[in-house]
Amino acid sequence: MGAARIICHTVLLAISANSAVFAASPSVCELAKKRGGLTAYAVDATPNQNGDREIADDIDGDGSKDKISWFNPGSGSIIPADNSTVTLTLSSSGESFTVEEQRLYVVKYQSKYFVVAGRVESERGPWHSDVYAITGKGMQKICSFGGKGLGR
């Protein structure tokens, strides 16, 4: 009986610890579902000569700056000819992680970085959005949602 209690407490502690890591995730996802919800948190970075935007911050907690870079081709079309990309390069391992989608932007919300990616199938919809957490382990999809028309 004592061993069963210890295992049960260990499982509850593990679940609590995992929930704390992405405690901001549900609120980020709820905010992202609202029309224009995360646009107020978009990271404002000036494009370089190639049109890439870049920020450096310690994402993986090793004390060195990691790099988040993204490119938006800037198409005015509902369905752009070229996709946007965001790449995270971690200083601790040198690993790179990339997300590519029709449209995307990087946001900083509650001191954490996220990627909001979206696409539409036609001028009438349907539309789809994904939100990725940028972490020391890469970019992890934390929620997805969509709709039939272009309006939310």
Side-chain angles (χ1 to χ4, degrees):
M1 185 76 163
R5 259 190 219 158
I6 291 171
I7 291 171
C8 184
H9 288 287
T10 304
V11 169
L12 285 175
L13 286 173
I15 290 170
S16 297
N18 284 339
S19 297
V21 171
F22 285 110
S25 298
S27 62
V28 165
C29 293
E30 289 304 313
L31 190 56
K33 289 178 185 178
K34 295 179 182 177
R35 185 179 195 105
L38 285 172
T39 55
Y41 302 96
V43 175
D44 186 24
T46 305
N48 63 19
Q49 293 176 359
N50 298 327
D52 295 332
R53 290 171 165 79
E54 190 173 293
I55 52 174
D57 205 344
D58 185 14
I59 304 296
D60 58 14
D62 69 349
S64 296
K65 302 268 185 193
D66 303 297
K67 184 170 77 170
I68 302 170
S69 59
W70 66 102
F71 176 75
N72 291 318
S75 171
S77 173
I78 296 260
I79 302 174
D82 297 315
N83 283 342
S84 299
T85 58
V86 64
T87 301
L88 166 66
T89 304
L90 298 173
S91 59
S92 60
S93 64
E95 286 184 277
S96 290
F97 305 88
T98 301
V99 171
E100 182 176 347
E101 191 57 81
Q102 282 180 354
R103 303 228 187 267
L104 58 80
Y105 56 101
V106 176
V107 300
K108 188 171 184 180
Y109 180 69
Q110 295 181 346
S111 302
K112 295 182 176 143
Y113 291 96
F114 299 89
V115 176
V116 180
R119 67 179 177 278
V120 295
E121 301 301 321
S122 74
E123 290 185 18
R124 295 177 159 212
W127 59 272
H128 182 85
S129 291
D130 297 313
V131 178
Y132 296 83
I134 299 176
T135 71
K137 295 181 180 182
M139 291 189 280
Q140 301 166 345
K141 188 185 298 184
I142 57 172
C143 56
S144 296
F145 49 94
K148 294 186 183 218
L150 289 183
R152 289 188 182 182

